[in-house]
Amino acid sequence: MTEQSARKLSNPVMLSEAEATETARLLRILMGGPARNAFEQDLSQYDRPPMQPGFDHDKERLRNLAKRAFLTRRARSRFFSPAMVGEPAWDMLLVLYATAASHGPHTISKLTAFTGAPPTTGLRWIDYLESQNLVRREDNPTDKRVVFIGISEKGSRAMDAYFSEMIERGLPE
């Protein structure tokens, strides 16, 4: 081996996390092992397609599951940096879905406060959720400065399906 080829071998190769995962999978196959590691095997149950609508779970049960999910997510910020665990769009959907029957739509400022995200970040996510038809904006009839955000029919159906599937898969309630 020449000195130049030895130097090439000693230079590290940088891989992204996805490339490293795929490389490890391919090496397992080449070495005669399973294509998936134990963690990937555990997650394989979630590879199946989502459930079709037609679930018959009680809407109150689904909303209570969403409330619990939101409270659990908020508890994380006591132990970890909010930047690490923040997902404002998901938190907004959880709040809107969980409180739709009891509270109805929320003001933008209240909704962004629930997420702990800066108002500008919250507004960007609201715009995105609205573009996906998951939430709807409603003008306040008595105060034109105030806009309400509510979960849309599509957003509600998607959350119903999501939490129904979580129940079906036996995830903790």
Side-chain angles (χ1 to χ4, degrees), residues 140-157:
N140 182 333
T142 59
D143 187 346
K144 296 298 179 195
R145 297 169 297 169
V146 177
V147 175
F148 294 113
I149 304 297
I151 193 159
S152 68
E153 184 61 34
K154 177 183 175 183
S156 187
R157 282 193 319 269

Side-chain angles (χ1 to χ4, degrees), residues 23-163:
T23 301
R25 187 185 74 78
L26 292 172
L27 285 172
R28 280 193 303 274
I29 293 169
L30 290 171
M31 302 289 287
R36 294 178 175 212
N37 64 30
F39 181 70
E40 291 169 324
Q41 293 266 353
D42 289 343
L43 293 178
S44 67
Q45 65 177 321
Y46 301 107
D47 289 343
R48 54 183 197 218
M51 293 174 51
Q52 297 302 312
F55 46 81
D56 61 0
H57 294 290
D58 178 298
K59 189 82 157 178
E60 187 62 28
R61 182 179 181 194
L62 299 175
R63 285 200 170 108
N64 284 336
L65 190 56
K67 287 176 191 173
R68 187 162 174 232
F70 178 77
L71 293 173
T72 301
R73 292 171 57 73
R74 298 303 296 164
R76 296 182 309 177
S77 63
R78 291 195 328 255
F79 303 97
F80 304 99
S81 164
M84 187 177 97
V85 296
E87 297 172 278
W90 182 242
D91 286 341
M92 287 178 191
L93 282 176
L94 286 170
V95 167
L96 292 171
Y97 177 74
T99 62
S102 61
H103 186 278
H106 291 272
T107 63
I108 291 175
S109 60
K110 189 170 187 177
L111 188 58
T112 57
F114 272 122
T115 68
T120 53
T121 300
L123 283 170
R124 277 194 307 273
W125 280 114
I126 289 168
D127 288 344
Y128 174 78
L129 292 170
E130 186 179 34
S131 76
Q132 299 301 303
N133 297 317
L134 296 171
V135 302
R136 66 186 187 299
R137 292 178 196 248
E138 300 172 12
D139 291 330
N140 182 333
T142 59
D143 187 346
K144 296 298 179 195
R145 297 169 297 169
V146 177
V147 175
F148 294 113
I149 304 297
I151 193 159
S152 68
E153 184 61 34
K154 177 183 175 183
S156 187
R157 282 193 319 269
M159 296 298 273
D160 286 346
Y162 172 78
F163 284 109

